[in-house]
Amino acid sequence: MSAPDKTIPALSTQSVDKSFGSLVVAKGISLTLPQGERYALIGPNGAGKTTLINLMTGMLNPDNGRIFLGGDDITTLKPDARVKRGLVRTFQINTLFPHLTALESVTLAICERRGDAGVWWKGLPSYHRDAEEAYGILSSLKLSPVAYKPTHELAYGQQRLLEIALALATKPKVLLLDEPAAGVPHEESSELFSVIAELSKDIAILFIEHDMNVVFRFASRIIVMVGGAILVDGTPDEIAADPRVREVYLGKGHRAHG
Amino acid sequence: MSLTTDPVSGPYQYLKAQSRWRVLEVAFWLCTLLPYFLFPNYLVLASQIAITALFALSLDLILGYAGIVSLGHAAFFGLGAYAAGILSKHGWGEPITGLIVGGVIAALVGYASSFIISRFRHLTLIMITLGLGLLLHEAANSAHFLTGGADGLQGVKIWKIFGLYGFDLWGYTAYTYSLIVLFLGFLLARRITNSPFGLALRGIRENAVRMPAIGAPSHAHIRKIYTISAAMAGVAGALLAQTTETVALEVLSFQRSADTLVMLVLGGAGMLYGGIVGSAIFMIARDQFSGINPQYWYFWIGLLLIVVVMVLPNGVLGGLKKLFTTWRGPS
């Protein structure tokens, strides 16, 4: 595809709308994620954050609006085709392969990336390079001690890391992390985020997170959603000072359903 | 699969250990030679078991590995049977090419229907496969000129295999022939399940939602395995037509689809050997029980099925595997 022109955003949306019947879950969402940046997406429950990720990754189709990845219009592409182009997500609720081992799971993602996963006439040992790369990813996330364990036997925090390992195996250009630390104890969550912070700067990251300490520490910019729309978008300092954000988070006419 | 607890030094050794032949497997295949010595009067039954096992194995590829539940898989078995039978009735009785034709016809129909199959899951999928099975059954029933309808296809004459081995009354050739084809089918299935594609299938079974999120074209994978499975079922059907030299309408029946599903669940799905073990249990039980009580023998199959799924959720093989690992020590 195109040469890495830094002025082209890694990911952007243009007035994306979506509703289920009379329930509007996204209205006029326009946002821009520049290359290599770490943006946070925050907002109260039901604000439409996960819906927005579903729309960007193609798990839902928008009623209106367009989605661009590195300048290419991907609005009509299927989810797996978007992943092939480098737009990858993780899930708020573990969405893993319970009876595959951690190594098998990540190897599968690598086989899919390399186009080896359609090969049925050659044994997996011929693809040990894929497995070794998978092992490398697991090691970088400190998961190598459990590489040969079935996923369902992994501790919860390790499963959260495996979520990220699966996404990394696809070599993403843009990574959408849906509450990567959801359910992880407070002390472990900043550990998990330092792993995320250390990821290559070639990857642009948009993450959903409720812990404001984490958000202000790791995000270069924060997007606040309320009731399916973007309320405000700014640097951590701007967001911290914004009275509308305070209102949303500290009550005073708490608009849970917009 | 993930039961190997031996220390592994690296991913390559791990993958190697996953796919190597185990002693029990070799012992299992040696046991398939026992009927020649122990039960020479039952070789006809043994050949039927081998054929049914191949059919169950084809169902295991889609159900046990990709999680596609089908209640109409007999459609492909029947297609293969009729293709081979009709071919020989019209003058070409060479068995090997007959098998290939049976497999190819079933694969073509399987490929065409896979475009529908790959889009649905769960109950919808069960109903669609059931519907396709019924459609084909009635089509064959009404196409009397071609299939003989309810009277069955008569006049099937199969030549000697390689011009040397004719089919005999005692089933020597039939069993040898069926067993070899079953073994080849098994080798193919084993290779598929140990390949990157096999891993992708297990991914679909384990979490169909995650697959697109790691860039996997699940629908294409499903179309491919459905076609392969249909081909294998077609070969099994062709084997039955050739070894019995007739084709009854029953090859396309719902009963056959359901029985095979029962066999696979009895033996244990997703383990390759489950379908083979399940077919042996089912067919031997039918042979024995129907000798005692020809009308009500399904009563015992029903009881056996209920007990097995309640006590051994992964089938007889799954239970044995569990027993074996507990006996061997904690994993």
Side-chain angles (χ1 to χ4, degrees):
Chain A
M1 268 174 279
S2 54
D5 180 347
K6 282 285 173 194
T7 59
I8 297 174
L11 177 72
S12 63
T13 66
Q14 265 177 21
S15 1
V16 167
D17 295 325
K18 177 75 184 174
S19 41
F20 296 113
S22 62
L23 178 70
V24 179
V25 290
K27 51 183 179 228
I29 303 276
S30 296
L31 63 79
T32 301
L33 177 65
Q35 292 177 28
E37 290 291 333
R38 273 94 176 105
Y39 278 20
L41 183 60
I42 66 170
N45 286 329
K49 305 182 296 290
T50 297
T51 304
L52 181 57
I53 286 193
N54 286 337
L55 286 164
M56 292 193 288
T57 53
M59 297 198 158
L60 287 175
N61 290 315
D63 300 334
N64 290 302
R66 313 224 62 87
I67 297 154
F68 297 89
L69 180 70
D72 299 328
D73 189 337
I74 57 162
T75 316
T76 57
L77 286 185
K78 288 220 156 43
D80 54 298
R82 298 187 197 201
V83 173
K84 287 250 153 66
R85 287 178 174 228
L87 175 59
V88 185
R89 70 171 296 179
T90 65
F91 293 82
Q92 179 185 356
I93 297 160
N94 284 337
T95 306
L96 301 167
F97 306 107
H99 293 93
L100 299 190
T101 62
L103 185 77
E104 284 173 328
S105 307
V106 180
T107 303
L108 169 57
I110 292 172
C111 285
E112 290 288 359
R113 186 190 84 220
R114 292 216 174 124
D116 297 336
V119 176
W120 55 265
W121 54 91
K122 274 208 277 194
L124 264 173
S126 313
Y127 293 88
H128 61 92
R129 266 182 43 243
D130 294 5
E132 273 144 19
E133 185 185 335
Y135 193 83
I137 292 173
L138 290 172
S139 301
S140 72
L141 295 173
K142 303 190 181 76
L143 286 174
S144 48
V146 293
Y148 304 113
K149 269 196 176 182
T151 301
H152 68 91
E153 287 180 14
L154 265 56
Y156 181 78
Q158 292 171 329
Q159 295 195 12
R160 294 309 290 158
L161 284 168
L162 187 55
E163 271 283 334
I164 297 172
L166 281 178
L168 291 180
T170 63
K171 285 237 167 101
K173 295 193 181 91
V174 177
L175 195 50
L176 309 174
L177 302 171
D178 192 352
E179 295 195 39
V184 174
H186 193 71
E187 54 276 20
E188 284 174 44
S189 110
S190 65
E191 197 180 320
L192 199 140
F193 266 95
S194 33
V195 168
I196 294 168
E198 281 165 25
L199 294 178
S200 160
K201 289 289 173 200
D202 297 333
I203 307 174
I205 298 176
L206 178 70
F207 64 93
I208 298 177
E209 178 54 48
H210 283 296
D211 184 338
M212 287 306 139
N213 290 325
V214 168
V215 168
F216 283 99
R217 227 169 99 203
F218 292 104
S220 55
R221 210 172 167 86
I222 299 169
I223 299 162
V224 186
M225 274 186 84
V226 177
I230 294 179
L231 177 74
V232 53
D233 164 2
T235 64
D237 289 341
E238 287 165 11
I239 296 299
D242 195 298
R244 290 168 296 174
V245 178
R246 282 170 173 274
E247 186 189 315
V248 167
Y249 273 91
L250 301 174
K252 200 182 163 190
H254 191 5
R255 296 183 295 169
H257 298 286
Chain B
M1 256 156 284
S2 47
L3 289 174
T4 35
T5 48
D6 342 333
V8 273
S9 35
Y12 178 67
Q13 285 77 4
Y14 171 74
L15 295 178
K16 264 285 203 233
Q18 294 279 296
S19 54
R20 69 152 194 259
W21 282 83
R22 286 162 181 62
V23 180
L24 272 176
E25 287 185 89
V26 178
F28 177 88
W29 286 104
L30 287 175
C31 282
T32 61
L33 301 176
L34 288 179
Y36 289 114
F37 312 107
L38 299 183
F39 317 104
N41 296 328
Y42 283 94
L43 288 183
V44 174
L45 175 66
S47 75
Q48 306 254 332
I49 293 175
I51 292 166
T52 314
L54 182 63
F55 182 39
L57 183 62
S58 78
L59 184 64
D60 198 17
L61 282 180
I62 56 166
L63 175 74
Y65 287 88
I68 304 164
V69 189
S70 171
L71 264 184
H73 213 49
F76 305 112
F77 185 86
L79 273 170
Y82 276 115
I86 291 167
L87 185 71
S88 106
K89 192 185 171 185
H90 289 84
W92 184 256
E94 202 288 309
I96 310 292
T97 41
L99 283 190
I100 295 170
V101 169
V104 168
I105 300 271
L108 287 175
V109 178
Y111 181 66
S113 53
S114 72
F115 284 85
I116 302 170
I117 298 299
S118 61
R119 289 158 169 236
F120 298 96
R121 286 186 81 78
H122 309 304
L123 190 60
T124 320
L125 186 56
I126 297 177
M127 290 302 125
I128 291 171
T129 53
L130 177 62
L132 285 173
L134 294 175
L135 275 177
L136 229 65
H137 182 260
E138 286 312 310
N141 193 8
S142 63
H144 198 279
F145 69 98
L146 190 65
T147 63
D151 304 329
L153 185 72
Q154 305 300 330
V156 177
K157 203 84 201 98
I158 302 300
W159 303 348
K160 290 178 174 178
I161 300 167
F162 302 129
L164 291 173
Y165 308 101
F167 289 96
D168 55 285
L169 271 177
W170 301 273
Y172 268 98
T173 310
Y175 183 53
T176 311
Y177 181 46
S178 308
L179 189 61
I180 290 173
V181 177
L182 169 65
F183 187 62
L184 292 176
F186 176 81
L187 287 182
L188 174 72
R190 198 177 189 282
R191 174 41 64 95
I192 291 172
T193 53
N194 281 321
S195 71
F197 178 60
L199 182 57
L201 293 180
R202 285 194 284 147
I204 294 171
R205 182 193 65 198
E206 289 294 313
N207 198 332
V209 175
R210 186 68 195 226
M211 286 300 275
I214 59 168
S218 296
H219 289 193
H221 289 332
I222 289 174
R223 286 199 297 273
K224 193 187 277 183
I225 193 61
Y226 200 72
T227 307
I228 293 173
S229 167
M232 192 180 278
V235 169
L239 265 181
L240 185 70
Q242 293 180 344
T243 53
T244 58
E245 298 203 321
T246 176
V247 182
L249 194 54
E250 180 275 331
V251 292
L252 283 166
S253 65
F254 169 71
Q255 188 74 54
R256 182 171 284 275
S257 296
D259 282 352
T260 311
L261 190 60
V262 169
M263 292 173 205
L264 189 55
V265 172
L266 274 181
M271 285 179 276
L272 290 186
Y273 288 93
I276 306 176
V277 171
S279 319
I281 294 173
F282 188 99
M283 307 266 297
I284 292 168
R286 174 157 72 187
D287 188 64
Q288 295 300 312
F289 290 144
S290 64
I292 302 165
N293 197 333
Q295 277 177 346
Y296 305 114
W297 74 276
Y298 257 101
F299 177 88
W300 301 106
I301 287 290
L303 191 68
L304 187 64
L305 181 65
I306 292 170
V307 170
V308 165
V309 294
M310 278 173 62
V311 183
L312 309 165
N314 292 318
V316 173
L317 268 195
L320 285 177
K321 205 161 146 183
K322 207 170 167 186
L323 201 71
F324 186 66
T325 34
T326 4
W327 169 69
R328 234 186 170 183
S331 56

